[in-house]
Amino acid sequence: MQHRIVVLGAGYTGAIAAGRLAKRLRREDVAITLVNAEPDFVERVRMHQLAVGQELRPRSLAEMFADTGVEVRLAQVTGVDVDRRTVAVTDPDHPGEDRELEYDTLVYALGSAWDHQGVPGTVEHAHEIAGRPGALRLRERLAGLDAGESVVVVGGGLTGLEAATEIAEARPDLDVSLAARGGLGDWLSPKGRRHLRKVFGTLGITAYENAAVTEVAADHVATADGAAIKAAVTLWTAGFAVHPIARATTLNVTDTGRIVVDGTMRSVSHPDVYAIGDAAMAAGPGGKPLRMSCASGTPTAWQAADSIAARLTGGKLPNAPLRYFNQCISLGRREGLIQYVTADDRAVRAALTGRFAAVYKELVCKAAAWGVANPTLGVPARRRAVTRAEVRPAAV
């Protein structure tokens, strides 16, 4: 008889949570199942690198979780019934046929995808790099472009900045531009904005500021002021939308479908469900919602895993620091920008720039991947006995 924990999604947050739970609880007391649609862990923060032709080292989930006590289940999640405590999945061996997984505790970490925002033509004509399939499609398209053809990146956030600079550096023969709804890097410190403009100038990237895109066509994008920007390829990076499954349940969710959680990442409506990463509406310093990012997701995974373990073993509830320290932005392989921020993510004057910042960002990316494989950050496992779980017979 074991307490069944099902973790949905093996991105940064889901993989960390599953591994951390395996380090906190005795194997004989729990059955931990990690459900993911792809066999490999995907470094989402590197999708702009994949899109320009760089090779990323594959990270097999089966190898990553070998001998940890976590069962990796390769399957597509098609539904969740939080009242019956079941998850419907379709796996490669039974295409088109839903199967059910029962759980006692659910960790919902299905993350987010690109948000086309209903802008006409976006679905038909724009590319996205929110995941590996989209990045590979863009990679193929970029490889087929001739010199002088135009690429427009829509969105002036972190993803847009990283994508535009990566493409411009890798393909200096292309005409790369970026369309931002506001000013270029307008949330950055003065030093950060100056460096960003310098890099854009060096790479020959045209910035269209205060240019809200209202339509995407096969060969251009249209903006609210009536301008048409030529685009052989349009890359849409204007925000993320969460997976729609949670909205179809009886969970308490926001208007955008994010699961409302308390400080332990526990659903406010269903105490046997935890939500982490982009899927969760969690409050940071001052009650400000955490933004969708790896920087937010990792501490929510720690908090959820340790909270679950504490409740099952009668331990003390944790208090992970759900706050920000900096924003790390790669600007190609040779330039970077590290913008230091307040706990609630507002830029301060201090910033690192240039080659040192690029190395810093690379180390952050490597550390994030290392943290997935080492969810307790190198601290030895301390597995405790389950004492307070509602233990049910294991599913057959």
Side-chain angles (χ1 to χ4, degrees):
M1 298 176 65
Q2 295 175 302
H3 186 87
R4 297 162 297 183
I5 302 174
V6 175
V7 182
L8 304 183
Y12 289 97
T13 58
I16 288 173
R20 199 169 175 96
L21 283 165
K23 296 277 190 177
R24 296 284 189 251
L25 301 168
R26 295 197 317 182
R27 294 186 184 183
E28 57 266 38
D29 293 341
V30 294
I32 303 172
T33 303
L34 177 61
V35 182
N36 200 59
E38 298 184 51
D40 295 329
F41 168 71
V42 176
E43 291 185 82
R44 188 174 182 180
V45 296
R46 294 189 185 275
M47 290 300 96
H48 55 286
Q49 295 176 238
L50 183 64
V52 298
Q54 297 172 34
E55 296 298 332
L56 304 182
R57 180 168 69 88
R59 300 176 182 271
S60 166
L61 291 171
E63 294 178 6
M64 186 180 295
F65 288 99
D67 301 321
T68 64
V70 175
E71 176 193 357
V72 177
R73 177 74 178 268
L74 185 61
Q76 181 78 42
V77 178
T78 57
V80 176
D81 189 329
V82 292
D83 299 311
R84 294 178 53 241
R85 295 184 180 180
T86 60
V87 177
V89 300
T90 300
D91 60 52
D93 295 331
H94 302 86
E97 176 185 340
D98 276 354
R99 298 197 165 200
E100 281 192 345
L101 301 178
E102 296 179 311
Y103 68 82
D104 299 306
T105 297
L106 179 70
V107 181
Y108 188 102
L110 290 179
S112 62
W114 71 310
D115 185 2
H116 55 76
Q117 301 176 358
V119 174
T122 305
V123 173
E124 295 84 357
H125 302 298
H127 288 265
E128 50 86 14
I129 54 171
R132 182 178 173 84
L136 289 175
R137 285 191 293 270
L138 177 59
R139 175 177 179 158
E140 182 179 3
R141 182 71 181 95
L142 290 175
L145 291 181
D146 294 327
E149 293 197 84
S150 55
V151 176
V152 175
V153 178
V154 179
L158 302 185
T159 304
L161 297 180
E162 293 193 330
T165 51
E166 199 75 50
I167 294 169
E169 181 184 89
R171 291 291 306 274
D173 59 319
L174 297 178
D175 179 12
V176 180
S177 61
L178 180 142
R181 181 178 293 273
L184 183 63
D186 56 5
W187 75 94
L188 299 169
S189 66
K191 180 179 179 180
R193 291 195 298 271
R194 286 194 300 270
H195 185 69
L196 180 60
R197 290 186 182 278
K198 175 184 173 183
V199 174
F200 265 50
T202 300
L203 294 174
I205 303 170
T206 301
Y208 293 93
E209 302 180 71
N210 303 305
V213 172
T214 56
E215 183 181 4
V216 178
D219 60 353
H220 73 277
V221 300
T223 62
D225 60 3
I229 305 172
K230 185 178 179 181
V233 171
T234 298
L235 172 58
W236 189 271
T237 68
F240 298 101
V242 297
H243 200 290
I245 283 180
R247 192 194 294 271
T249 71
T250 57
L251 287 164
N252 186 332
V253 300
T254 66
D255 292 342
T256 59
R258 300 175 77 182
I259 300 171
V260 182
V261 297
D262 63 17
T264 65
M265 302 302 112
R266 194 183 204 180
S267 164
V268 298
S269 61
H270 291 73
D272 48 7
V273 176
Y274 291 73
I276 55 179
D278 291 355
M281 176 53 73
K288 183 178 178 180
L290 297 177
R291 61 180 165 87
M292 295 183 181
S293 67
C294 184
S296 304
T298 296
T300 65
W302 295 339
Q303 181 79 336
D306 291 354
S307 296
I308 292 168
R311 287 187 169 113
L312 292 181
T313 62
K316 182 180 178 181
L317 286 173
N319 185 25
L322 302 178
R323 56 154 298 164
Y324 298 99
F325 298 94
N326 53 44
Q327 294 180 7
C328 303
I329 312 170
S330 66
L331 301 173
R333 296 299 87 203
R334 296 183 293 272
E335 285 279 359
L337 171 58
I338 310 302
Q339 176 64 65
Y340 292 102
V341 297
T342 60
D344 63 351
D345 210 28
R346 290 174 289 115
V348 299
R349 291 182 62 184
L352 294 177
T353 60
R355 178 62 181 168
F356 184 77
V359 173
Y360 188 118
K361 172 60 188 289
E362 177 61 22
L363 291 175
V364 167
C365 291
K366 289 182 177 179
W370 180 86
V372 172
N374 300 272
T376 57
L377 305 181
V379 177
R382 296 183 60 189
R383 298 183 178 92
R384 293 187 170 90
V386 171
T387 60
R388 297 186 178 183
E390 178 186 348
V391 181
R392 300 178 181 180
V396 178

